[in-house]
Amino acid sequence: SSLPVSNAPDYQTTPTHDGSGQACHPDIVYFPDGWNGYKYWMAMTPYPMSNRNHENPSILVSQDGYNWEVPEGLSNPIVLHQKGGWNADTDLIYNPDTDELWMYYVRFKNNLCTLYRVRSQNGITWSDEEYVFSRPLFQMLSPAIVYKDGLYHLWYVDANSNGIHADHTVVK
């Protein structure tokens, strides 16, 4: 089977709330017939010049998987910067049972990596954040969540206490 979109022929424009266009950790949900007006929904965080103070979860949409925009009525970021910490590592899923998008992200604060979730029935209005679980700092990076047949499957990278400087990592 073919993918719904091929690799871009050149750099794409990803509008970010900080104006840098430097998006990190994108995750896309594709709806062949569209969902609330768009075929592609993307969660991502800006990460301009590795400045984690701007790395706040945001939403973009597209009809073709190439041209991205902020959906009308939404103001990014949907999760704000945390004093004394930072947000990162978005993951987006669609829950067909509730007809909602669920965005997960990791907050690095107080020597913990904490996974949170926000939910939306329209992609514009998002719930308050919901705590999922925590691990020691850098022991839960880049979560990937799949919802299938009523079950949630979660994978994440454990980089031990050395984070991006770890000499080895484990997928859990």
Side-chain angles (χ1 to χ4, degrees):
S1 78
S2 65
L3 295 173
V5 67
S6 60
N7 285 336
D10 55 24
Y11 293 105
Q12 296 184 10
T13 300
T14 49
T16 58
H17 65 84
D18 66 311
S20 71
Q22 296 180 31
C24 188
H25 298 288
D27 192 32
I28 297 169
V29 176
Y30 172 66
F31 297 92
D33 298 320
W35 183 81
N36 286 300
Y38 299 95
K39 289 186 175 188
Y40 297 88
W41 288 80
M42 177 197 301
M44 60 85 184
T45 59
Y47 194 45
M49 303 302 197
S50 302
N51 183 342
R52 63 187 182 204
N53 291 325
H54 295 284
E55 197 173 4
N56 299 303
S58 299
I59 294 291
L60 297 176
V61 292
S62 176
Q63 293 296 7
D64 60 9
Y66 183 76
N67 296 292
W68 295 94
E69 63 187 14
V70 178
E72 186 176 340
L74 178 70
S75 180
N76 280 323
I78 62 172
V79 178
L80 299 175
H81 174 72
Q82 295 291 305
K83 186 175 181 177
W86 71 95
N87 302 308
D89 301 5
T90 55
D91 193 70
L92 190 66
I93 67 168
Y94 173 71
N95 183 324
D97 297 335
T98 61
D99 189 29
E100 293 177 322
L101 282 178
W102 290 4
M103 183 177 64
Y104 293 85
Y105 56 94
V106 177
R107 176 166 300 137
F108 298 84
K109 189 172 183 179
N110 299 327
N111 291 316
L112 292 173
C113 291
T114 303
L115 187 66
Y116 287 97
R117 175 182 75 176
V118 291
R119 299 172 288 115
S120 180
Q121 294 179 340
N122 60 16
I124 308 302
T125 305
W126 292 83
S127 69
D128 290 338
E129 64 184 15
E130 302 168 354
Y131 171 86
V132 180
F133 74 97
S134 295
R135 299 279 302 137
L137 192 60
F138 303 124
Q139 293 182 26
M140 180 181 42
L141 306 174
S142 303
I145 298 148
V146 174
Y147 179 72
K148 185 175 179 182
D149 300 327
L151 293 175
Y152 298 89
H153 306 269
L154 166 69
W155 295 265
Y156 61 88
V157 176
D158 181 342
N160 63 62
S161 60
N162 293 320
I164 63 170
H165 302 290
D167 60 359
H168 71 282
T169 60
V170 177
V171 175
K172 293 186 173 181

